[in-house]
Amino acid sequence: MTTLTDVRREISVSGSPERAFDLFTNHMAKWWPAEHHVATSPVTAMTVEPRVGGRIYDSCEDGSESAWGHITEWDPPAGFAFAWMLTARGNSKPTSTRHHECRCRSPRTVTARA
């Protein structure tokens, strides 16, 4: 049996909530750990589609895409929430009912909760 645990992480970053939101959503490949991908080909870019229902996905060297999240709340620059689209075998499928969120707020604090 798997036990789910809430995770909360807060970090302080230089800049405004707008800048933090932009870095978190539009430049994800710069900070996301390279070893944390389910794609079968090397990842060349990560994309967050900026709308409720949008995907979070990896673009790969071989031209394929690997979707792993979908946006459930979109409120720039205050934050956004998403649900994982991964099965236990790493397949992309919208199966999660748990929402994960990122909040960008003053003074220079980003909160991520899973």
Side-chain angles (χ1 to χ4, degrees):
M1 174 185 251
T2 302
T3 302
L4 298 176
T5 304
D6 283 348
V7 176
R8 183 179 294 259
R9 174 82 171 131
E10 289 191 22
I11 60 169
S12 294
V13 296
S14 296
S16 66
E18 292 83 5
R19 179 72 175 135
F21 187 87
D22 177 64
L23 288 172
F24 194 87
T25 58
N26 293 319
H27 304 281
M28 193 175 278
K30 291 183 179 179
W31 60 266
W32 190 272
E35 65 276 5
H36 291 155
H37 293 280
V38 296
T40 56
S41 177
V43 173
T44 58
M46 296 176 75
T47 302
V48 177
E49 295 178 332
R51 67 183 187 291
V52 171
R55 299 174 302 152
I56 303 175
Y57 65 92
D58 298 332
S59 296
C60 303
E61 207 171 72
D62 66 1
S64 66
E65 292 181 349
S66 177
W68 53 267
H70 71 272
I71 305 297
T72 58
E73 179 185 329
W74 188 255
D75 185 23
F80 74 101
F82 70 94
W84 292 104
M85 292 174 57
L86 299 174
T87 66
R89 295 178 189 220
N91 299 323
S92 296
K93 188 188 273 187
T95 58
S96 177
T97 57
R98 294 178 54 86
H99 293 272
H100 309 275
E101 58 186 54
C102 172
R103 298 282 167 234
C104 303
R105 55 189 165 82
S106 293
R108 297 180 175 90
T109 300
V110 176
T111 304
R113 186 177 77 199

